[in-house]
Amino acid sequence: MAVKKTLKTEARSISAPRYALDELETHAKELFEVRAEVLAGAMYGTDGELFTVTEVKERIQQFMKAKVV
C-alpha cells in the first residue's frame, strides 16, 4: 500500500502546475491563509524557483509547527 501512495503522490506533483515564489507570495492570503511574511519564512533557504501549491502548503505547515528556541 505504501508504494501505491508514493507513486500517486509523485504523479500528482509532476502534473501539478508550478509557480514562481513571488507569484505565490502575492496570493499568499487567498491560497494559504497566511501573510506573505509567513510564506517567506517558510520558504527561506529552499532550492528551486518554481513550486507547486501543495509543496508550499506542506512547508508552511512544517514552519508553523517548528519550535522557537
Side-chain angles (χ1 to χ4, degrees), residues 13-27:
S13 66
I14 292 171
S15 64
R18 300 179 84 72
Y19 303 98
L21 190 55
D22 60 339
E23 188 175 355
L24 293 169
E25 285 180 354
T26 303
H27 301 286

Side-chain angles (χ1 to χ4, degrees), residues 8-60:
K8 287 180 182 178
T9 304
E10 289 176 8
R12 210 176 320 141
S13 66
I14 292 171
S15 64
R18 300 179 84 72
Y19 303 98
L21 190 55
D22 60 339
E23 188 175 355
L24 293 169
E25 285 180 354
T26 303
H27 301 286
K29 188 67 174 172
E30 296 87 14
L31 292 171
F32 312 112
E33 299 177 1
V34 298
R35 294 174 41 185
E37 294 85 357
V38 174
L39 177 60
M43 300 304 288
Y44 180 77
T46 57
D47 294 332
E49 296 178 8
L50 300 175
F51 304 95
T52 64
V53 173
T54 305
E55 289 173 338
V56 175
K57 281 183 181 180
E58 289 172 0
R59 298 215 24 114
I60 289 172

Side-chain angles (χ1 to χ4, degrees), residues 1-12:
M1 285 291 200
V3 174
K4 289 182 181 179
K5 279 188 173 183
T6 304
L7 294 176
K8 287 180 182 178
T9 304
E10 289 176 8
R12 210 176 320 141

